[in-house]
Amino acid sequence: MTESPTIGAVVALAALLIGAPLVPGLAARAKAIATGRRGPPVWQLYADLWRLARRGIVYSTTTTWVFRLAPPVLVATTIAAASLLPLDGRGSVLRFAGDAVGFAYLFALGRFVLVLAALDTGSSFEGMGASRDVTFAMLVEPGLFVALAALGITAHDFSLTAMLGGTAARPAAGVVTPALVMVALSLFALSLAECARVPVDDPTTHLELTMVHEVMVLDHSGPDLAMLLYANALKLAVFAAIIVGVLLPVPRRGGVMGVGSLLAGLIAMGIAIGLVESAMARLRLPKVPLYIAGGSALALFGLILLLR
Amino acid sequence: MTSFAELVLFLVVLSDFAVLAMSRLSACIRAIALQGLLLGVLPLVVHSTLSAHAVVLGVGTAAIKAVILPAFLRWAIREAAVRREVEPLIGYMASMLWGAAALVIAFAVAAVLPLHSVETDLLVPVALVTVMIGLIVLITRSKAITQVVGYLMMENGIYLFGLTQSQRVPFLVEIGVLLDVFVGVFIMGIVVFQINREFDSLSASRLTELHD
Amino acid sequence: MTLFLIGLALVLAGGVSAVATRRGDGRRGDVLYQALVAGGCVAAAVDPARVLAGRPAVTLAVRATTPGGDWVLGIDALSAVFLVAVLGVSALCAVFGTHDLRREAADHHDGVRRPTWFAQLSFAVLVVAIALVVAARSVVVFLGAWEVMAIGSYVLIVTHHEVADVRRAGLIYLVATHTATLALFVMFSTWQVGASDWTFAALGAASPSLSAGARLAILLLALFAFGFKAGLVPLHFWLPPAHAAAPSHVSALMSGVVIKTGIYGLLRVLLMLGGAPAWWGWLVLGIGATSGVLGVLWALAQHDTKRLLAYHSVENIGIILMGIGVGVLGVAHGAPAIALLGFAGGLLHTVNHALFKSLLFLGAGAVYRATGTRNMEELGGLARRMPWTWAGFIIGAAAIIGVPPFNGFVSEWLVYQGLFAAGQSSELLRLALLGIPALALIGALALACFTKVAGVVFLGTARSARAAGAEEAGRGAIAAMLLLAGTCVVLGSLPPLGLALVTGAARALAGTSVVVPEAVVSSAWTISLLALVTAGLVSVLWAVRTAALRRRIVRYEPTWGCGYDAVTPRMQYTASSFASSILGMFGRLSGARVEKTALALHTHSVDLVLDGVALPMWSAMHRVALRMRALQHGGGRLHFYLLSILGALLALLAYLVVGPRP
């Protein structure tokens, strides 16, 4: 448990951090191509981040230090959560018993500060977005934990390193049971809810009354906005890494193959999200709980299958 | 049990019947005062050994039951300006008969009650009869003062019963009983004065006209 | 043990000093009071701390002539954990309370002059009573201290007794606590039948020879009585009114400490019984999960800050019970490792909750003192007016949600691990795995609830003149709050400290042969590392941004209003609207009721148990009693009523004569 992180883990984490903005870019590009357009370049988000980072900031007069705290905390918690994953297929940078709980609750910390920042502005739009965001979070958390519990039962360990690859307890190579596929699908569905993508929230809409996550970051600008956009992309990448870990049962050798499979996973996730976005419209707000419940139910079925 | 103690207990029973028979309120109070004095003497004679605890208990009991409480009741009579009791609900003759019946029941029951201790072969029946006669007074009299006297008699009966336990469980019975008396009298005192002030009368049958 | 008793005596002396110094402006009296009470608490906490650090348990027996045997006090690992929490929180609440009461007396908010010395004396007596409950080792001491604690709490709850709601809350509390005490009497009497005397040691020795029926009765009665005190659903209904009506430092003490005595009682009964059957563990786990979910759901529906925090206490008691349930199940299934995790999690959450809940109540109290209202919909923007209170409150909120690096995370992490370890076994125990999503739901609802409170009360702009004119709390009050916040941060970033605190008691409950697995200990250190890394990353990013912004333009403009210029504070999201989407999903279960007329919309919350069950039951009993009152004095029948007493006496005598011999 206190083994020092391997070079491979650190490299994989760096690769994830660097490659994260690719995921939304791939999604936008895939969606555009699927609907017959050319679409923005895949590295659009990098350009956006660079542009925003070079700008100044406009702060609302209503806001306090909480508003300024949200972007660094969100990025930091997402990075810390990513460091708990065995990104190269072997080990993670940080690991402790039951760190699946730490993983989920680090995201909760980020969400807490972000919601507070939204309420800090005293704007009714941001309040609305915050309210919707915590509602969706309430629905997603149990489902996420069911999925994590299912993975834990498979690995006989509640630590992410054991659940998603790593050297130890995953059973025989090449066996992707239906239960695990269901868990992976459920995680995909839940990640769309957690990261505010279609069908839960449309990142391209800018009508205040229909936004969820977008409206929460309405008053952020410049480097703050860059950090928030990056954190969102990183969250998507983290979920992609988890799904890769679930679906690739081969104990991956570290080094190049580990990082390679990670990057391939990111690309696949981006494309998948883009295809989903092109095929579906955003769900009406009352239908979103049903969608999330459906995703959680998938995980529950997977868990029950594994418990038998 | 010494014959002196038996004499005292006999006098206690007599005072019970005195309250049952008498119609003048001041006489009832004198009877209960006498009973209190007798009860004060009892701890000193009922156990074969004389202890400081018994002396304190006796003196305190006599002070409260024979002096303070009757004085308080006499003051109550003066304030309310009542003299004589009206006929009890079942008549004086019938009250005496019921008192006698209570005596028989008490002695019969005490014989078969599962209690220990030899030295108390007269205490328990006297305690029971005092309680029951106190209850009869409480039930059949209409003046509130006499009902207070009946209540005090009940407390005396309980105290007598407590005497049988005082060697085994020191202090607790005494404190409980004395506190009881205080509480009872205080409450009744307040009630009596309130009734008198509101209705210019101490008749308990008028109590039933209270509505909320 | 002497230091413990001296400490308690000092606390009592503090209370007496409040009476003695009641004339005068009160400043010197306050200093003396705080010094004595806080000093006494610290002194009394030395003995428990020593026991926790590894010294053996201590006992003290006093011969007494009262029925019930000797008066025995003792401090073992279990008592020590609770005592440390009790005394620490009490000291800080006393400090806050003194400042709060003094400020109230100076403000004369309601024109009522109220003597503060009585509240201070009652507080001191209450603290001593709670400490004695936790340290009691014989039934007489336990029940006596329990009753003093109940009455003391009542007296403090009805401090503002001129308000009808406060009196009502006090009455509900009194009924509830005495029902619990009655159940305790029955429980102890049932237990004592086979024991030699009324000390806990004797009761524990008699436990193996208890009949199955007696054991069942004891388990159920203990759950009922201590659950009533702790605030389990559906026995929680006295909590919200009482906590809202009481002065803030009293609410803090009650929520942080008094309801924990219920948990303590449960654990002590478990220790004395030597374990409980599995069905009881499932019952506790189920009730815990239900209390957790319903508690936080009902909290979400409140717009009174103190009622919201009170319902949150119900939720946290639910989490504690989930841990205890896992522990009991572990013992019952012969898996001491699982039991250790469950009990450790439950115990640590007890300590943590005492810390952050009192912090939150003190913060709410400071807000109430500054603005004069507890209604969230009238507040807002207080973060600028009361920055220190806000600092304490946000730490308390983060801690109660359970995010790292605060202490709530550590205890919830332990409970999760216990649930997961249970889920790994191959028997019926695996169903415990379903507790994991329940706990996750609780956490997510708590996040919604506390972002609502923190956001609506402290952030944004002020919604009323009262909020706009708020002043920061006094230095003493801030010191108390920040100290509590500091402990939350310390316990959260140093999990091994928390683990060390509860290991002794958890091992006693789980079976002393088991030790904390090495994995858990080293993981606790890794969590520390994680906290450090996260904090480091935040600092680095903040520093980078600050450096970058130095060369950029930073402007300050009003919040974006979609091009609308005349934005008013009333246009902000309200607390009810924030919570409405979640509450709507739960329908009538959430207790939120909406009344609509053609012109206005009004939401209020009802307590399902109080308004749906307890009060109707009470009214029904009242109606029956009114009818039976006719027996007593309707139409000259007083004498018959008295005759019935004589009849009862004769019947009893007859029973004694002809009935079975003992």
Side-chain angles (χ1 to χ4, degrees):
Chain A
M1 226 66 64
T2 45
E3 40 192 75
S4 47
T6 63
I7 301 289
V10 176
V11 167
L13 182 61
L16 185 79
L17 292 180
I18 297 173
L22 275 179
V23 182
L26 277 166
R29 186 69 186 239
K31 172 180 175 185
I33 293 181
T35 53
R37 297 178 280 121
R38 282 256 300 271
V42 171
W43 52 84
Q44 180 62 47
L45 188 55
Y46 290 100
D48 285 338
L49 291 175
W50 176 239
R51 174 178 50 94
L52 284 169
R54 287 195 342 235
R55 291 230 180 132
I57 288 192
V58 177
Y59 280 123
S60 159
T61 45
T62 324
T63 58
T64 62
W65 53 269
V66 176
F67 187 80
R68 292 146 180 72
L69 189 62
V73 167
L74 202 54
V75 173
T77 54
T78 318
I79 296 179
S83 69
L84 290 171
L85 293 172
L87 294 164
D88 66 344
R90 288 188 143 251
S92 54
V93 174
L94 278 178
R95 177 188 179 173
F96 57 93
D99 60 20
V101 179
F103 177 79
Y105 276 72
L106 277 170
F107 281 140
L109 176 60
R111 179 176 301 115
F112 178 61
V113 190
L114 186 65
V115 168
L116 281 182
L119 290 170
D120 200 8
T121 61
S123 151
S124 41
F125 303 117
E126 303 211 14
M128 182 179 67
S131 162
R132 289 174 180 171
D133 194 66
V134 295
T135 312
F136 296 158
M138 175 204 81
L139 296 165
V140 166
E141 287 292 304
L144 183 64
F145 267 91
V146 169
L148 288 172
L151 290 174
I153 290 290
T154 320
H156 299 289
D157 193 335
F158 212 30
S159 166
L160 287 166
T161 313
M163 288 192 236
L164 299 174
T167 52
R170 278 291 290 276
V175 174
V176 181
T177 61
L180 282 179
V181 170
M182 271 200 258
V183 170
L185 275 176
S186 153
L187 280 170
F188 182 70
L190 290 175
S191 70
L192 293 180
E194 179 93 4
C195 309
R197 312 290 304 190
V198 174
V200 173
D201 184 17
D202 191 346
T204 59
T205 180
H206 290 282
L207 296 170
E208 287 90 344
L209 287 175
T210 58
M211 294 190 272
V212 179
H213 188 264
E214 282 296 303
V215 76
M216 274 210 293
V217 305
L218 205 56
D219 273 82
H220 293 268
S221 49
D224 279 353
L225 186 58
M227 283 196 263
L228 290 176
L229 289 176
Y230 176 71
N232 205 28
L234 189 56
K235 215 189 217 188
L236 271 174
V238 162
F239 273 97
I242 295 181
I243 297 177
V244 164
V246 172
L247 287 178
L248 280 187
V250 180
R252 291 168 279 166
R253 313 250 171 273
V256 175
M257 187 167 151
V259 179
S261 58
L262 176 67
L263 290 175
L266 291 185
I267 295 172
M269 178 86 165
I271 297 176
I273 294 178
L275 291 176
V276 167
E277 290 201 351
S278 67
M280 289 180 76
R282 208 193 98 152
L283 287 174
R284 274 177 54 218
L285 227 47
K287 301 267 199 242
V288 171
L290 291 173
Y291 165 78
I292 301 181
S296 314
L298 270 179
L300 192 62
F301 289 150
L303 178 65
I304 293 177
L305 276 181
L306 284 168
L307 275 181
R308 278 194 311 107
Chain B
M1 200 160 175
T2 69
S3 52
F4 184 62
E6 289 185 4
L7 178 66
V8 171
L9 286 171
F10 179 63
L11 287 174
V12 168
V13 176
L14 268 186
S15 61
D16 290 339
F17 278 95
V19 172
L20 263 185
M22 290 200 262
S23 61
R24 277 179 31 236
L25 284 174
S26 52
C28 285
I29 294 176
R30 247 180 275 141
I32 202 81
L34 173 68
Q35 203 177 66
L37 187 63
L38 291 167
L39 258 53
V41 165
L42 264 180
L44 305 169
V45 298
V46 77
H47 297 297
S48 34
T49 56
L50 189 70
S51 61
H53 166 240
V55 171
V56 167
L57 182 62
V59 170
T61 307
I64 294 173
K65 290 186 192 257
V67 177
I68 300 180
L69 287 178
F72 186 66
L73 283 169
R74 270 191 284 269
W75 176 59
I77 299 185
R78 262 204 319 279
E79 288 295 310
V82 285
R83 287 278 151 236
R84 192 166 270 271
E85 170 80 57
V86 298
E87 276 277 311
L89 281 177
I90 55 176
Y92 287 107
M93 211 62 234
S95 306
M96 294 286 279
L97 282 175
W98 277 110
L103 194 62
V104 171
I105 294 176
F107 273 89
V109 166
V112 293
L113 274 182
L115 292 169
H116 330 264
S117 190
V118 173
E119 59 196 19
T120 57
D121 54 344
L122 210 53
L123 258 182
V124 175
V126 172
L128 280 174
V129 77
T130 313
V131 168
M132 283 197 272
I133 293 185
L135 265 174
I136 293 175
V137 170
L138 204 53
I139 294 169
T140 58
R141 300 307 179 91
S142 50
K143 284 263 190 298
I145 292 274
T146 328
Q147 291 187 330
V148 174
V149 168
Y151 178 77
L152 286 175
M153 214 189 303
M154 266 180 64
E155 292 294 338
N156 287 345
I158 297 173
Y159 171 86
L160 277 171
F161 197 81
L163 274 183
T164 66
Q165 304 293 315
S166 69
Q167 292 244 296
R168 207 166 303 131
V169 186
F171 281 126
L172 214 58
V173 176
E174 285 80 283
I175 295 173
V177 169
L178 293 179
L179 200 57
D180 255 307
V181 174
F182 264 107
V183 168
V185 172
F186 266 108
I187 292 176
M188 284 206 160
I190 294 170
V191 169
V192 162
F193 275 99
Q194 288 286 66
I195 296 170
N196 191 43
R197 205 165 349 115
E198 292 302 321
F199 293 104
D200 276 334
S201 144
L202 277 178
S203 175
S205 59
R206 302 284 294 270
L207 270 174
T208 62
E209 288 171 23
L210 291 170
H211 295 294
D212 54 6
Chain C
M1 199 76 174
T2 38
L3 206 51
F4 177 69
L5 292 170
I6 291 178
L8 290 185
L10 279 177
V11 173
L12 267 182
V16 171
S17 82
V19 181
T21 61
R22 64 185 183 276
R23 311 209 185 281
D25 74 336
R27 200 154 311 173
R28 269 192 2 219
D30 280 351
V31 171
L32 184 62
Y33 175 76
Q34 286 173 79
L36 280 173
V37 172
C41 286
V42 169
V46 169
D47 275 330
R50 269 195 256 171
V51 171
L52 283 177
R55 298 272 206 91
V58 286
T59 0
L60 173 71
V62 175
R63 279 206 54 77
T65 49
T66 55
D70 297 345
W71 293 10
V72 187
L73 294 174
I75 303 180
D76 63 354
L78 182 63
S79 295
V81 172
F82 279 88
L83 275 175
V84 165
V86 165
L87 293 166
V89 170
S90 305
L92 292 171
C93 287
V95 170
F96 183 94
T98 315
H99 289 268
D100 196 55
L101 287 173
R102 194 55 64 193
R103 202 163 150 193
E104 179 186 37
D107 282 348
H108 289 301
H109 256 218
D110 33 21
V112 173
R113 271 195 55 83
R114 190 174 293 107
T116 50
W117 59 265
F118 185 65
Q120 288 179 321
L121 174 65
S122 317
F123 192 87
V125 169
L126 179 60
V127 171
V128 171
I130 301 172
L132 284 177
V133 165
V134 176
R137 289 283 179 275
S138 72
V139 175
V140 173
V141 181
F142 186 84
L143 285 178
W146 185 269
E147 193 57 21
V148 174
M149 180 174 77
I151 303 288
S153 310
Y154 171 75
V155 164
L156 284 169
I157 288 173
V158 294
T159 309
H160 298 114
H161 51 83
E162 59 277 354
V163 179
D165 271 342
V166 170
R167 291 198 299 271
R168 179 173 178 266
L171 187 62
I172 297 176
Y173 170 74
L174 210 54
V175 170
T177 192
H178 278 105
T179 314
T181 312
L182 186 64
L184 278 182
F185 268 100
V186 176
M187 180 187 88
F188 279 122
S189 314
T190 318
W191 206 328
Q192 203 271 334
V193 168
S196 50
D197 61 24
W198 291 86
T199 60
F200 282 7
L203 291 179
S207 301
S209 51
L210 281 172
S211 71
R215 220 181 168 85
L216 177 71
I218 290 173
L219 283 170
L220 288 176
L221 281 169
L223 191 59
F224 177 79
F226 291 121
F228 224 139
K229 190 65 170 183
L232 292 180
V233 169
L235 302 169
H236 67 285
F237 54 85
W238 60 270
L239 253 176
H243 283 58
S248 325
H249 66 289
V250 174
S251 308
L253 189 71
M254 287 196 63
S255 217
V257 167
V258 173
I259 58 181
K260 302 304 184 307
T261 56
I263 302 290
Y264 168 76
L266 264 180
L267 290 174
R268 179 61 63 191
V269 165
L270 266 180
L271 259 186
M272 287 201 287
L273 273 181
W279 64 264
W280 197 79
W282 284 114
L283 187 65
V284 168
L285 184 60
I287 291 183
T290 316
S291 298
V293 174
L294 287 178
V296 70
L297 182 65
W298 289 333
L300 205 47
Q302 306 300 319
H303 52 242
D304 175 331
T305 35
K306 284 219 220 144
R307 275 182 74 101
L308 183 144
L309 290 173
Y311 275 109
H312 249 282
S313 296
V314 174
E315 169 223 335
N316 279 289
I317 293 288
I319 298 179
I320 296 174
L321 275 180
M322 283 177 80
I324 295 180
V326 170
V328 170
L329 283 172
V331 170
H333 282 261
I338 299 176
L340 186 67
L341 285 170
F343 282 125
L347 279 167
L348 188 56
H349 203 76
T350 311
V351 175
N352 288 339
H353 182 243
L355 293 171
F356 51 65
K357 188 42 73 66
S358 356
L359 170 61
L360 288 168
F361 263 109
L362 293 184
V367 167
Y368 176 61
R369 185 60 51 214
T371 61
T373 177
R374 291 196 307 259
N375 186 359
M376 273 189 266
E377 314 283 23
E378 293 179 28
L379 298 171
L382 291 175
R384 286 176 187 274
R385 315 263 338 164
M386 308 174 67
W388 292 109
T389 310
W390 166 232
F393 196 88
I394 194 177
I395 291 181
I400 203 170
I401 294 175
V403 289
F406 299 102
N407 51 358
F409 173 70
V410 182
S411 46
E412 290 198 26
W413 168 68
L414 282 171
V415 176
Y416 271 117
Q417 285 204 283
L419 285 167
F420 182 75
Q424 281 195 293
S425 73
S426 53
E427 320 153 355
L428 196 62
L429 194 51
R430 279 187 302 171
L431 284 179
L433 210 53
L434 292 174
I436 292 187
L439 202 49
L441 179 64
I442 295 174
L445 282 170
L447 183 123
C449 194
F450 270 93
T451 46
K452 174 181 113 161
V453 182
V456 170
V457 171
F458 286 96
L459 301 175
T461 47
R463 290 176 179 78
S464 71
R466 289 205 248 190
E471 282 176 12
E472 178 64 278
R475 278 206 313 260
I478 294 178
M481 288 193 278
L482 289 181
L483 222 77
L484 282 170
T487 52
C488 290
V489 173
V490 165
L491 275 180
S493 32
L494 287 176
L497 194 60
L499 259 185
L501 205 63
V502 299
T503 306
R507 287 181 60 204
L509 285 162
T512 40
S513 58
V514 65
V515 286
V516 181
E518 179 58 34
V520 174
V521 175
S522 59
S523 299
W525 283 113
T526 316
I527 295 179
S528 246
L529 184 61
L530 183 69
L532 200 63
V533 163
T534 314
L537 278 172
V538 172
S539 324
V540 162
L541 286 167
W542 186 289
V544 166
R545 178 183 62 187
T546 315
L549 285 182
R550 225 165 271 147
R551 286 164 296 153
R552 315 244 199 284
I553 301 170
V554 178
R555 282 182 9 234
Y556 296 90
E557 304 280 348
T559 306
W560 170 247
C562 195
Y564 184 65
D565 246 344
V567 178
T568 69
R570 278 189 52 214
M571 292 180 186
Q572 294 172 101
Y573 236 53
T574 61
S576 319
S577 16
F578 190 86
S580 63
S581 22
I582 297 185
L583 293 176
M585 278 185 215
F586 283 90
R588 290 192 68 85
L589 186 61
S590 66
R593 302 280 178 266
V594 178
E595 283 146 18
K596 285 188 218 181
T597 67
L599 297 170
L601 189 76
H602 176 69
T603 57
H604 68 279
S605 60
V606 303
D607 188 306
L608 290 180
V609 177
L610 183 63
D611 297 314
V613 176
L615 285 180
M617 215 163 68
W618 186 259
S619 310
M621 284 195 321
H622 201 229
R623 277 197 301 274
V624 170
L626 273 179
R627 270 198 218 114
M628 290 185 68
R629 195 205 280 199
L631 272 177
Q632 283 187 329
H633 66 66
R637 286 193 250 149
L638 179 63
H639 305 279
F640 283 105
Y641 181 59
L642 292 170
L643 186 61
S644 64
I645 298 179
L646 180 60
L649 178 63
L650 287 174
L652 280 172
L653 283 176
Y655 172 74
L656 274 176
V657 169
V658 306
R661 289 269 170 273

